[in-house]
Amino acid sequence: MTFKRAAVIGIGLIGGSFALAAKRAGVVESVVGVARSADTREGALEMGAADEVTADAAEAVRGADLVYIAVPVGATRSIFGQIRDSLEPGALVTDAGSTKREVMAAAAELLPDSITFIGGHPMAGSEQSGIRAARADLFEGAAYYLTPGETTTQDELDRMLALVRALGARPDVKVAEYHDRMMAATSHLPHLVAAALASTIHRLASGQKEVGNSLGTGFTDTTRLAEGSPEVWRDIFLSNPDNVAAALDRMIEQLQQFGAAFREMDRALFDQLLEEARRDRRELLDQRRRELGGQ
Ligand code: NAP
């Protein structure tokens, strides 16, 4: 399976990494990269992620048999509107957005029947953003969720599965509702907590003398995610509000239990909460090891 011309709309960290990985694997012959800023377009050419670049998404998809959309989730609907009349019949269109319900609904509403749209979400990435952080090996070994549409055929899904495997990733087909609920717990809540933690620590400690020396690995390990692109994360929260708010409520309940342990100076409750936390973390990591081992 090879694609002659891939249009990568939003050639930042994820779009750029896709382009580099697909070219390296030989599944894509040429890439046209789309970005708003001249700096991103230049970076994509310099890094060899794109063979040509443009700011015009409609122009990019003309003649493309593969379209990979990797913009913040909230911009995806507008991209669909810009490209719908220029898509080549038979093209495979996919996205990399971290939430899937809104994207799937917009695709069903806006994209023509002559193309195939399959949603995607690579479980790869980092707190960095932008084309200069892109890497050809970003997807290697990573899970890669796929959300087919209601009319997707097995042949179309097989093409997408082959593309994801060519990137070195492990495809996993899910329905969008389940995907978004699961991600709220395992990805969106951790980001939210890291962001709140970084700001809370700053409020408590900044301005105090020599606070820098006290910022050890505990600080860097637990707040790393707060470095993520505010634009990308705003759109993730806005497109999964019910699930993330429910996860946040559970987090607040958990923190309130710690609050009760302090108020009562309840040694047994501290033991229970901390032992549970250690066991829970180990169980989750064991499950990940089992699932990876089962591939
Ligand atoms: P990024 O590095 O900031 O790249 C985003 C790209 O989208 C840039 O090329 C940017 O163009 C373009 N863009 C931004 N807003 C746009 C708009 N309103 N209209 C058109 N283009 C726009 O972000 P990323 O981390 O690659 O994230 C891209 C997508 O992948 C997001 O949907 C995110 O949820 C998803 N994702 C991210 C990760 C992760 O760890 N970062 C992992 C999995 C999935 P300019 O450079 O010109 O601004």
Side-chain angles (χ1 to χ4, degrees):
M1 172 217 40
T2 343
F3 295 92
K4 285 205 166 321
R5 179 179 161 90
V8 178
I9 303 174
I11 194 152
L13 169 69
I14 298 293
S17 297
F18 167 79
L20 290 169
K23 288 179 106 190
R24 189 176 72 169
V27 285
V28 157
E29 282 176 19
S30 78
V31 170
V32 50
V34 182
R36 299 169 301 182
S37 80
D39 184 51
T40 301
R41 295 196 297 275
E42 265 165 40
L45 290 173
E46 273 164 30
M47 293 180 64
D51 303 285
E52 49 183 300
V53 287
T54 171
D56 183 342
E59 178 195 315
V61 303
R62 274 183 214 115
D65 47 358
L66 176 64
V67 178
Y68 193 93
I69 302 169
V71 297
V73 179
T76 308
R77 192 183 168 84
S78 150
I79 297 289
F80 286 162
Q82 291 168 46
I83 64 175
R84 58 187 290 182
D85 295 330
S86 307
L87 287 165
E88 292 297 323
L92 177 60
V93 183
T94 186
D95 80 309
S98 303
T99 58
K100 295 274 56 96
R101 284 177 297 176
E102 245 186 51
V103 168
M104 295 310 292
E109 182 192 331
L110 296 172
L111 296 180
D113 293 338
S114 59
I115 62 97
T116 299
F117 180 80
I118 297 178
H121 175 204
M123 291 299 296
S126 74
E127 68 282 7
Q128 294 176 311
S129 54
I131 180 65
R132 288 183 173 81
R135 295 188 348 235
D137 63 355
L138 190 74
F139 302 105
E140 262 169 37
Y144 197 122
Y145 291 111
L146 294 178
T147 54
E150 279 178 12
T151 58
T152 306
T153 65
Q154 189 59 48
D155 279 357
E156 290 167 340
L157 181 58
D158 285 346
R159 268 180 101 199
M160 190 67 212
L161 289 168
L163 175 62
V164 167
R165 289 197 183 102
L167 304 174
R170 301 179 288 111
D172 188 351
V173 178
K174 290 275 180 284
V175 291
E177 288 70 21
Y178 176 78
H179 169 276
D180 287 4
R181 203 166 52 246
M182 189 175 56
M183 283 299 126
T186 58
S187 169
H188 307 165
L189 179 66
H191 190 94
L192 193 149
V193 171
L197 186 60
S199 294
T200 306
I201 295 170
H202 185 267
R203 266 160 221 155
L204 289 170
S206 80
Q208 293 186 32
K209 271 198 189 146
E210 298 187 2
V211 76
N213 282 334
S214 71
L215 298 173
T217 51
F219 172 78
T220 47
D221 286 355
T222 55
T223 57
R224 180 177 59 80
L225 296 174
E227 286 286 332
S229 155
E231 198 180 14
V232 165
W233 279 95
R234 173 205 63 203
D235 281 6
I236 291 172
F237 292 152
L238 285 173
S239 60
N240 200 15
D242 47 349
N243 291 319
V244 182
L248 176 60
D249 285 345
R250 294 296 296 271
M251 180 79 207
I252 291 169
E253 278 172 29
Q254 198 65 22
L255 288 173
Q256 280 168 343
Q257 289 205 52
F258 277 101
F262 278 105
R263 270 195 311 281
E264 310 295 327
M265 287 300 279
D266 186 336
R267 184 188 173 98
L269 184 53
F270 275 123
D271 280 342
Q272 182 200 322
L273 292 172
L274 294 168
E275 273 163 25
E276 263 174 22
R278 182 158 68 172
R279 191 198 60 216
D280 291 345
R281 181 175 193 275
R282 288 177 178 175
E283 271 182 26
L284 288 166
L285 290 175
D286 278 348
Q287 182 166 354
R288 185 172 76 170
R289 268 191 292 275
R290 280 197 303 278
E291 287 176 19
L292 279 172
Q295 293 299 314

